[in-house]
Amino acid sequence: ERFPEAYPPFLELARERVASLTMPVLLLEAERTTELHRMVNDELAKLLPHAERVIIRGATHDMWADRRDACLDATMRFLAEQ
């Protein structure tokens, strides 16, 4: 079940400020994250269309503990491309 629209993902952060970012952005997402975190990631992806979004397969929200090597590989690949 999705959270109602009455609960925006960014309560304290203006969307315009996020959307104005121009630097490279990597959005790491755990495949088995919570619905709330998925909503935040979806909103970030909309606001930052230039961002690279990588889903870490099989990982929970604690992806750096679950799949450290996959997170490290994705991060290092992203940094090498910059």
Side-chain angles (χ1 to χ4, degrees):
E1 179 179 326
R2 307 255 330 153
F3 288 88
E5 292 300 317
Y7 298 99
F10 302 113
L11 298 177
E12 302 293 327
L13 188 57
R15 285 175 170 79
E16 298 80 27
R17 290 189 65 198
V18 174
S20 72
L21 297 174
T22 59
M23 78 282 284
V25 175
L26 173 63
L27 298 174
L28 283 183
E29 179 179 335
E31 180 179 40
R32 297 172 25 216
T33 195
T34 65
E35 184 64 20
L36 177 60
H37 288 106
R38 185 163 286 108
M39 286 176 58
V40 170
N41 293 338
D42 288 346
E43 188 66 19
L44 284 169
K46 287 180 202 170
L47 294 172
L48 301 165
H50 63 281
E52 180 178 338
R53 190 173 187 178
V54 176
I55 297 174
I56 304 299
R57 301 288 173 212
T60 66
H61 182 65
D62 196 12
M63 65 187 156
W64 280 93
D66 295 342
R67 301 285 318 279
R68 180 184 180 277
D69 289 343
C71 291
L72 185 58
D73 289 347
T75 302
M76 295 305 291
R77 186 173 39 253
F78 174 78
L79 292 173
E81 293 171 357
Q82 303 314 308

